[in-house]
Amino acid sequence: MSPNTEWLKETLEVNKFGEIMVDGHGSTSLPGVFAAGDCTNSAFKQIIIAMGSGATAALGAFDHLIRN
Ligand SMILES: Cc1cc2nc3c(=O)[nH]c(=O)nc-3n(C[C@H](O)[C@H](O)[C@H](O)COP(=O)(O)OP(=O)(O)OC[C@H]3O[C@@H](n4cnc5c(N)ncnc54)[C@H](O)[C@@H]3O)c2cc1C
């Protein structure tokens, strides 16, 4: 119920719950780093949501790589 993101707090933007902040592409505040699932600021913590966000982050990473 609580994300294990303490080690990331100096590197990525996290909210007051320790959830990694991601945009609609799964991008974090650090360019080229993507996150998905319960450790992010997703509205709902359910398996199907985590799976979808994994797909989103993978596509976001692919899009980032082909553009850079
Ligand atoms: C008791 C309970 C019941 C639930 N019941 C349901 C349900 O009925 N239906 C439903 O849809 N959802 C349910 N959920 C929610 C569902 O389990 C989660 O939404 C889903 O598992 C999130 O997937 P995830 O891959 O984001 O995270 P997780 O499944 O939590 O996977 C994260 C993984 O990362 C690993 N990890 C953490 N830190 C590190 C690190 N520093 N280095 C390496 N590995 C690390 C962890 O060990 C874990 O294996 C339930 C959750 C709980 C706790």
Side-chain angles (χ1 to χ4, degrees):
M1 298 301 289
S2 95
N4 181 22
T5 55
E6 187 72 33
W7 59 286
L8 287 169
K9 285 181 176 170
E10 304 300 318
T11 311
L12 305 177
E13 182 186 357
V14 300
N15 65 16
K16 64 180 179 181
F17 305 113
E19 298 168 338
I20 301 166
M21 299 299 288
V22 292
D23 67 13
H25 290 200
S27 305
T28 68
S29 56
L30 185 63
V33 175
F34 295 77
D38 280 18
C39 65
T40 69
N41 61 320
S42 63
F44 303 104
K45 311 303 184 190
Q46 292 280 281
I47 294 167
I48 198 165
I49 304 292
M51 291 172 67
S53 74
T56 296
L59 290 168
F62 174 76
D63 189 57
H64 173 81
L65 289 171
I66 59 173
R67 288 174 194 276
N68 293 278

Coordinates of all heavy atoms in Angstrom, one line a residue:
M1 N 0.8 -1.2 0.0 CA 0.0 0.0 0.0 C 0.9 1.3 0.0 O 0.3 2.3 -0.2 CB -0.9 0.0 1.2 CG -1.9 -1.1 1.2 SD -3.0 -1.2 -0.2 CE -4.1 0.2 0.1
S2 N 2.2 1.1 0.3 CA 3.0 2.3 0.2 C 4.2 2.0 -0.7 O 4.9 1.0 -0.6 CB 3.4 2.7 1.6 OG 4.6 2.3 2.0
P3 N 4.4 2.9 -1.7 CA 5.4 2.7 -2.7 C 6.8 2.7 -2.1 O 7.1 3.5 -1.3 CB 5.2 3.8 -3.7 CG 4.5 4.9 -3.0 CD 3.7 4.2 -1.9
N4 N 7.7 1.8 -2.6 CA 9.1 1.7 -2.2 C 9.9 2.6 -3.0 O 10.7 2.2 -3.9 CB 9.5 0.3 -2.2 CG 11.0 0.1 -1.8 OD1 11.5 0.9 -1.0 ND2 11.6 -1.0 -2.2
T5 N 9.7 3.9 -2.8 CA 10.4 4.9 -3.7 C 11.3 5.9 -3.0 O 11.7 6.8 -3.5 CB 9.3 5.7 -4.4 OG1 8.4 6.3 -3.5 CG2 8.5 4.9 -5.4
E6 N 11.6 5.5 -1.7 CA 12.4 6.4 -0.9 C 13.7 6.7 -1.6 O 14.2 7.9 -1.6 CB 12.7 5.7 0.4 CG 13.4 6.6 1.5 CD 12.5 7.7 2.0 OE1 11.3 7.5 2.2 OE2 13.1 8.8 2.3
W7 N 14.3 5.7 -2.2 CA 15.6 5.8 -2.9 C 15.6 6.7 -4.1 O 16.6 7.1 -4.6 CB 16.1 4.4 -3.2 CG 15.2 3.6 -4.1 CD1 14.1 3.0 -3.8 CD2 15.4 3.4 -5.5 NE1 13.5 2.4 -4.9 CE2 14.3 2.6 -6.0 CE3 16.4 3.7 -6.4 CZ2 14.2 2.2 -7.3 CZ3 16.3 3.3 -7.8 CH2 15.2 2.5 -8.2
L8 N 14.4 7.0 -4.6 CA 14.2 7.8 -5.8 C 13.9 9.3 -5.6 O 13.9 10.1 -6.5 CB 13.1 7.2 -6.7 CG 13.3 5.9 -7.4 CD1 12.0 5.4 -7.9 CD2 14.4 6.1 -8.5
K9 N 13.7 9.6 -4.3 CA 13.2 11.0 -4.0 C 14.1 12.1 -4.4 O 13.7 13.2 -4.7 CB 12.9 11.1 -2.5 CG 11.6 10.3 -2.2 CD 11.2 10.4 -0.8 CE 9.8 9.8 -0.5 NZ 9.5 9.6 0.9
E10 N 15.4 11.8 -4.5 CA 16.4 12.8 -4.9 C 16.5 12.9 -6.4 O 17.2 13.8 -6.9 CB 17.8 12.6 -4.3 CG 17.8 12.4 -2.7 CD 17.3 13.7 -2.1 OE1 17.7 14.8 -2.5 OE2 16.5 13.6 -1.1
T11 N 16.0 11.9 -7.1 CA 16.2 11.8 -8.5 C 14.9 12.1 -9.3 O 15.0 12.8 -10.4 CB 16.6 10.3 -8.9 OG1 17.6 9.9 -8.0 CG2 17.0 10.2 -10.3
L12 N 13.8 11.7 -8.9 CA 12.5 11.9 -9.6 C 11.5 12.6 -8.7 O 11.6 12.6 -7.5 CB 11.9 10.5 -10.0 CG 12.7 9.5 -10.7 CD1 11.9 8.2 -10.9 CD2 13.1 10.1 -12.1
E13 N 10.6 13.3 -9.4 CA 9.6 14.0 -8.7 C 8.6 13.0 -8.1 O 8.1 12.1 -8.9 CB 8.8 15.0 -9.6 CG 7.7 15.8 -8.8 CD 6.9 16.7 -9.7 OE1 7.2 16.7 -10.9 OE2 6.0 17.3 -9.2
V14 N 8.3 13.0 -6.8 CA 7.3 12.1 -6.2 C 6.4 13.0 -5.4 O 6.7 14.2 -5.0 CB 7.9 11.1 -5.3 CG1 8.9 10.2 -6.0 CG2 8.6 11.7 -4.1
N15 N 5.1 12.5 -5.2 CA 4.2 13.4 -4.5 C 4.3 13.1 -3.0 O 5.1 12.3 -2.6 CB 2.7 13.2 -5.1 CG 2.2 11.7 -4.9 OD1 2.8 11.0 -4.1 ND2 1.2 11.4 -5.6
K16 N 3.4 13.6 -2.2 CA 3.5 13.5 -0.8 C 3.2 12.0 -0.3 O 3.5 11.7 0.8 CB 2.4 14.4 -0.1 CG 1.0 14.1 -0.4 CD 0.1 15.1 0.4 CE -1.4 14.8 0.1 NZ -2.3 15.7 0.7
F17 N 2.7 11.2 -1.2 CA 2.5 9.8 -0.8 C 3.7 8.9 -1.3 O 3.7 7.7 -1.1 CB 1.2 9.2 -1.5 CG 0.0 10.0 -1.2 CD1 -0.6 10.8 -2.2 CD2 -0.5 10.1 0.1 CE1 -1.8 11.5 -1.9 CE2 -1.6 10.8 0.4 CZ -2.3 11.5 -0.6
G18 N 4.7 9.6 -1.9 CA 5.8 8.8 -2.4 C 5.6 8.3 -3.8 O 6.4 7.5 -4.3
E19 N 4.5 8.6 -4.4 CA 4.2 8.1 -5.7 C 5.0 8.9 -6.8 O 5.0 10.1 -6.7 CB 2.7 8.2 -6.0 CG 1.8 7.4 -5.1 CD 0.3 7.7 -5.2 OE1 0.0 8.8 -5.7 OE2 -0.5 6.9 -4.8
I20 N 5.5 8.1 -7.7 CA 6.3 8.8 -8.8 C 5.3 9.5 -9.7 O 4.4 8.9 -10.2 CB 7.1 7.7 -9.6 CG1 8.1 7.0 -8.7 CG2 7.8 8.4 -10.8 CD1 8.6 5.7 -9.3
M21 N 5.6 10.8 -10.0 CA 4.7 11.6 -10.8 C 5.0 11.2 -12.3 O 6.2 11.3 -12.8 CB 5.0 13.1 -10.6 CG 4.7 13.5 -9.2 SD 2.9 13.2 -8.7 CE 2.2 14.5 -9.7
V22 N 4.0 10.8 -13.0 CA 4.2 10.5 -14.5 C 3.1 11.3 -15.3 O 2.0 11.6 -14.7 CB 4.0 9.0 -14.8 CG1 5.2 8.2 -14.2 CG2 2.7 8.4 -14.3
D23 N 3.4 11.5 -16.5 CA 2.4 12.2 -17.4 C 1.7 11.1 -18.2 O 1.8 9.9 -17.9 CB 3.1 13.2 -18.3 CG 4.1 12.6 -19.3 OD1 4.0 11.4 -19.5 OD2 4.8 13.4 -19.9
G24 N 0.9 11.5 -19.2 CA 0.1 10.6 -20.0 C 0.9 9.6 -20.8 O 0.4 8.6 -21.3
H25 N 2.2 9.8 -20.9 CA 3.1 8.8 -21.6 C 3.9 8.0 -20.7 O 4.8 7.2 -21.1 CB 4.1 9.6 -22.6 CG 3.4 10.2 -23.7 ND1 4.1 10.6 -24.9 CD2 2.1 10.5 -24.0 CE1 3.3 11.2 -25.7 NE2 2.0 11.1 -25.2
G26 N 3.7 8.1 -19.4 CA 4.5 7.4 -18.4 C 5.8 8.0 -18.1 O 6.6 7.4 -17.4
S27 N 6.0 9.2 -18.7 CA 7.3 9.9 -18.5 C 7.4 10.5 -17.0 O 6.4 11.0 -16.5 CB 7.4 11.1 -19.4 OG 7.3 10.8 -20.7
T28 N 8.6 10.3 -16.4 CA 8.8 10.9 -15.1 C 9.4 12.3 -15.3 O 9.6 12.8 -16.5 CB 9.8 10.0 -14.3 OG1 11.1 10.1 -14.9 CG2 9.3 8.6 -14.2
S29 N 9.8 12.9 -14.2 CA 10.5 14.3 -14.3 C 11.9 14.2 -14.9 O 12.4 15.2 -15.3 CB 10.5 14.9 -13.0 OG 11.2 14.1 -12.0
L30 N 12.4 13.0 -15.0 CA 13.8 12.8 -15.6 C 13.6 12.3 -17.0 O 13.1 11.2 -17.2 CB 14.6 11.8 -14.7 CG 16.0 11.6 -15.1 CD1 16.8 12.9 -14.9 CD2 16.7 10.5 -14.2
P31 N 14.0 13.1 -18.0 CA 13.8 12.7 -19.4 C 14.5 11.3 -19.7 O 15.6 11.0 -19.2 CB 14.6 13.8 -20.2 CG 14.5 15.0 -19.3 CD 14.6 14.4 -17.9
G32 N 13.7 10.4 -20.3 CA 14.2 9.1 -20.7 C 13.9 8.1 -19.6 O 14.2 6.9 -19.8
V33 N 13.3 8.5 -18.5 CA 13.0 7.5 -17.4 C 11.5 7.5 -17.3 O 10.8 8.5 -17.2 CB 13.6 7.9 -16.0 CG1 13.1 7.0 -14.9 CG2 15.1 7.9 -16.1
F34 N 10.9 6.2 -17.4 CA 9.5 6.0 -17.4 C 9.1 5.2 -16.2 O 9.9 4.4 -15.6 CB 9.1 5.3 -18.7 CG 9.3 6.2 -19.9 CD1 10.6 6.4 -20.4 CD2 8.3 6.9 -20.4 CE1 10.8 7.3 -21.4 CE2 8.5 7.8 -21.5 CZ 9.8 7.9 -22.0
A35 N 7.9 5.3 -15.7 CA 7.4 4.5 -14.6 C 6.0 4.1 -14.8 O 5.2 4.7 -15.6 CB 7.5 5.4 -13.3
A36 N 5.6 3.0 -14.2 CA 4.2 2.5 -14.3 C 3.8 1.8 -13.1 O 4.6 1.4 -12.2 CB 4.2 1.5 -15.5
G37 N 2.5 1.6 -13.0 CA 1.9 0.8 -11.9 C 1.6 1.5 -10.6 O 1.6 2.7 -10.5
D38 N 1.5 0.7 -9.6 CA 1.1 1.2 -8.3 C 2.1 2.3 -7.7 O 1.7 3.1 -6.8 CB 0.9 0.1 -7.3 CG -0.4 -0.6 -7.4 OD1 -1.0 -0.5 -8.5 OD2 -0.7 -1.4 -6.4
C39 N 3.3 2.2 -8.1 CA 4.3 3.2 -7.5 C 4.2 4.6 -8.1 O 4.9 5.5 -7.7 CB 5.7 2.6 -7.7 SG 6.2 2.5 -9.4
T40 N 3.2 4.7 -9.1 CA 3.0 6.0 -9.7 C 1.8 6.7 -9.2 O 1.0 6.1 -8.4 CB 2.9 5.9 -11.2 OG1 1.7 5.2 -11.6 CG2 4.1 5.1 -11.8
N41 N 1.5 7.9 -9.6 CA 0.4 8.7 -9.2 C -0.9 8.3 -9.9 O -1.7 9.1 -10.2 CB 0.6 10.2 -9.3 CG 0.9 10.6 -10.8 OD1 1.6 9.9 -11.5 ND2 0.4 11.7 -11.2
S42 N -1.0 7.0 -10.3 CA -2.3 6.5 -11.0 C -3.4 6.6 -10.0 O -3.3 6.4 -8.8 CB -2.1 5.1 -11.5 OG -1.9 4.2 -10.4
A43 N -4.6 6.9 -10.5 CA -5.8 7.2 -9.7 C -6.2 5.9 -9.0 O -6.7 6.0 -7.9 CB -6.9 7.8 -10.5
F44 N -6.1 4.7 -9.6 CA -6.6 3.5 -9.1 C -5.5 2.4 -9.0 O -4.7 2.3 -9.9 CB -7.7 3.0 -9.9 CG -8.9 4.0 -10.0 CD1 -9.0 4.7 -11.2 CD2 -9.7 4.2 -8.9 CE1 -10.1 5.7 -11.3 CE2 -10.7 5.2 -9.0 CZ -10.9 5.9 -10.2
K45 N -5.4 1.7 -7.9 CA -4.4 0.7 -7.7 C -5.0 -0.7 -8.0 O -5.5 -1.4 -7.0 CB -3.8 0.8 -6.3 CG -3.4 2.2 -5.9 CD -2.4 2.8 -6.8 CE -1.9 4.2 -6.3 NZ -1.1 4.9 -7.2
Q46 N -5.1 -1.1 -9.2 CA -5.6 -2.3 -9.6 C -4.8 -3.0 -10.7 O -4.1 -2.2 -11.5 CB -7.1 -2.2 -10.2 CG -8.1 -1.7 -9.1 CD -8.6 -2.8 -8.3 OE1 -9.4 -3.6 -8.7 NE2 -8.1 -3.0 -7.1
I47 N -4.8 -4.3 -10.8 CA -4.0 -5.0 -11.8 C -4.1 -4.5 -13.2 O -3.1 -4.2 -13.9 CB -4.2 -6.5 -11.7 CG1 -3.9 -7.1 -10.3 CG2 -3.5 -7.3 -12.8 CD1 -4.4 -8.5 -10.1
I48 N -5.3 -4.4 -13.6 CA -5.6 -3.9 -15.0 C -5.0 -2.5 -15.3 O -4.6 -2.2 -16.4 CB -7.0 -4.1 -15.4 CG1 -7.2 -4.1 -17.0 CG2 -7.9 -3.1 -14.8 CD1 -8.5 -4.6 -17.5
I49 N -5.1 -1.7 -14.3 CA -4.6 -0.3 -14.4 C -3.1 -0.4 -14.5 O -2.4 0.3 -15.4 CB -5.0 0.6 -13.2 CG1 -6.5 0.6 -13.1 CG2 -4.4 2.0 -13.4 CD1 -7.3 1.3 -14.1
A50 N -2.4 -1.2 -13.7 CA -1.0 -1.3 -13.7 C -0.5 -1.9 -15.0 O 0.5 -1.4 -15.6 CB -0.5 -2.2 -12.5
M51 N -1.2 -2.9 -15.6 CA -0.9 -3.4 -16.9 C -1.0 -2.4 -18.0 O -0.1 -2.3 -18.8 CB -1.8 -4.6 -17.2 CG -1.5 -5.8 -16.3 SD -2.8 -7.1 -16.6 CE -2.3 -7.6 -18.2
G52 N -2.0 -1.6 -18.0 CA -2.2 -0.6 -19.0 C -1.1 0.4 -18.9 O -0.6 0.9 -19.9
S53 N -0.8 0.8 -17.7 CA 0.2 1.9 -17.5 C 1.6 1.3 -17.9 O 2.5 2.1 -18.4 CB 0.2 2.4 -16.1 OG 0.8 1.6 -15.2
G54 N 1.8 0.0 -17.8 CA 3.1 -0.6 -18.2 C 3.2 -0.5 -19.7 O 4.2 -0.2 -20.3
A55 N 2.0 -0.8 -20.4 CA 2.0 -0.7 -21.9 C 2.2 0.8 -22.3 O 3.0 1.1 -23.2 CB 0.7 -1.2 -22.4
T56 N 1.6 1.7 -21.6 CA 1.8 3.1 -21.9 C 3.2 3.6 -21.7 O 3.8 4.2 -22.6 CB 0.9 4.0 -21.0 OG1 -0.5 3.7 -21.2 CG2 1.1 5.5 -21.2
A57 N 3.9 3.1 -20.6 CA 5.3 3.5 -20.4 C 6.2 2.9 -21.4 O 7.1 3.5 -21.9 CB 5.7 3.1 -19.0
A58 N 5.9 1.7 -21.8 CA 6.7 1.0 -22.9 C 6.6 1.8 -24.2 O 7.6 2.0 -24.8 CB 6.3 -0.4 -23.0
L59 N 5.4 2.1 -24.5 CA 5.2 2.9 -25.8 C 5.8 4.3 -25.6 O 6.4 4.9 -26.6 CB 3.7 3.0 -26.1 CG 3.1 1.7 -26.6 CD1 1.6 1.8 -26.6 CD2 3.6 1.3 -28.0
G60 N 5.7 4.9 -24.4 CA 6.3 6.2 -24.2 C 7.8 6.1 -24.3 O 8.4 7.0 -24.9
A61 N 8.4 5.1 -23.8 CA 9.9 4.9 -23.9 C 10.3 4.7 -25.4 O 11.3 5.3 -25.9 CB 10.3 3.7 -23.1
F62 N 9.5 3.9 -26.1 CA 9.8 3.7 -27.6 C 9.7 5.0 -28.3 O 10.6 5.3 -29.1 CB 8.8 2.7 -28.1 CG 8.9 2.5 -29.6 CD1 9.9 1.7 -30.2 CD2 8.0 3.1 -30.5 CE1 10.0 1.5 -31.5 CE2 8.1 2.9 -31.8 CZ 9.1 2.1 -32.4
D63 N 8.7 5.8 -28.0 CA 8.5 7.1 -28.7 C 9.7 8.0 -28.4 O 10.2 8.7 -29.2 CB 7.2 7.7 -28.2 CG 6.8 8.9 -29.0 OD1 6.7 8.8 -30.2 OD2 6.6 10.0 -28.4
H64 N 10.1 8.0 -27.1 CA 11.2 8.8 -26.7 C 12.5 8.4 -27.4 O 13.3 9.3 -27.9 CB 11.4 8.7 -25.2 CG 12.7 9.3 -24.7 ND1 12.7 10.7 -24.4 CD2 13.9 8.8 -24.4 CE1 14.0 11.0 -24.0 NE2 14.7 9.9 -24.0
L65 N 12.7 7.1 -27.6 CA 14.0 6.6 -28.2 C 14.0 7.0 -29.7 O 15.0 7.4 -30.2 CB 14.1 5.1 -28.0 CG 14.4 4.7 -26.6 CD1 14.3 3.2 -26.4 CD2 15.8 5.2 -26.2
I66 N 12.9 6.8 -30.4 CA 12.9 7.1 -31.8 C 13.0 8.6 -32.1 O 13.5 9.0 -33.2 CB 11.7 6.5 -32.6 CG1 10.4 7.0 -32.1 CG2 11.8 5.0 -32.6 CD1 9.2 6.6 -33.0
R67 N 12.6 9.4 -31.1 CA 12.7 10.9 -31.3 C 14.1 11.4 -30.9 O 14.4 12.6 -31.2 CB 11.6 11.6 -30.6 CG 10.2 11.4 -31.2 CD 9.2 12.0 -30.3 NE 7.8 11.5 -30.6 CZ 7.1 12.1 -31.6 NH1 7.6 13.1 -32.3 NH2 5.9 11.6 -31.9
N68 N 14.8 10.6 -30.2 CA 16.1 11.2 -29.6 C 17.3 10.3 -30.1 O 18.1 9.8 -29.4 CB 16.0 11.2 -28.1 CG 15.0 12.2 -27.6 OD1 15.3 13.4 -27.5 ND2 13.8 11.8 -27.3
Ligands
LIG1 C1 -4.0 -7.4 -0.4 C2 -4.2 -6.9 -1.8 C3 -5.2 -7.3 -2.6 C4 -5.4 -6.9 -3.9 N1 -6.4 -7.3 -4.6 C5 -6.6 -6.9 -5.9 C6 -7.6 -7.4 -6.7 O1 -8.5 -8.3 -6.3 N2 -7.7 -7.0 -8.0 C7 -6.9 -6.1 -8.5 O2 -7.0 -5.7 -9.7 N3 -5.9 -5.6 -7.8 C8 -5.7 -6.0 -6.5 N4 -4.7 -5.5 -5.7 C9 -3.8 -4.5 -6.3 C10 -2.8 -5.1 -7.2 O3 -2.1 -6.1 -6.5 C11 -1.8 -4.0 -7.7 O4 -2.5 -3.0 -8.3 C12 -0.8 -4.6 -8.7 O5 -0.1 -5.7 -8.2 C13 0.2 -3.5 -9.1 O6 1.2 -4.0 -9.9 P1 2.6 -3.4 -10.0 O7 3.4 -4.2 -11.0 O8 2.5 -1.9 -10.2 O9 3.2 -3.5 -8.5 P2 3.6 -4.8 -7.7 O10 2.7 -5.9 -8.0 O11 3.5 -4.3 -6.2 O12 5.0 -5.1 -8.1 C14 6.1 -4.4 -7.7 C15 7.3 -5.3 -7.6 O13 8.5 -4.5 -7.5 C16 9.3 -5.1 -6.5 N5 10.2 -4.1 -5.9 C17 9.9 -3.1 -5.1 N6 10.9 -2.3 -4.8 C18 12.0 -2.8 -5.5 C19 13.3 -2.5 -5.7 N7 13.9 -1.4 -5.1 N8 14.1 -3.3 -6.5 C20 13.6 -4.3 -7.2 N9 12.3 -4.7 -7.1 C21 11.5 -4.0 -6.3 C22 8.3 -5.7 -5.5 O14 8.9 -6.8 -4.7 C23 7.3 -6.3 -6.4 O15 7.5 -7.6 -6.9 C24 -4.5 -5.9 -4.4 C25 -3.4 -5.5 -3.6 C26 -3.3 -5.9 -2.3 C27 -2.1 -5.4 -1.5

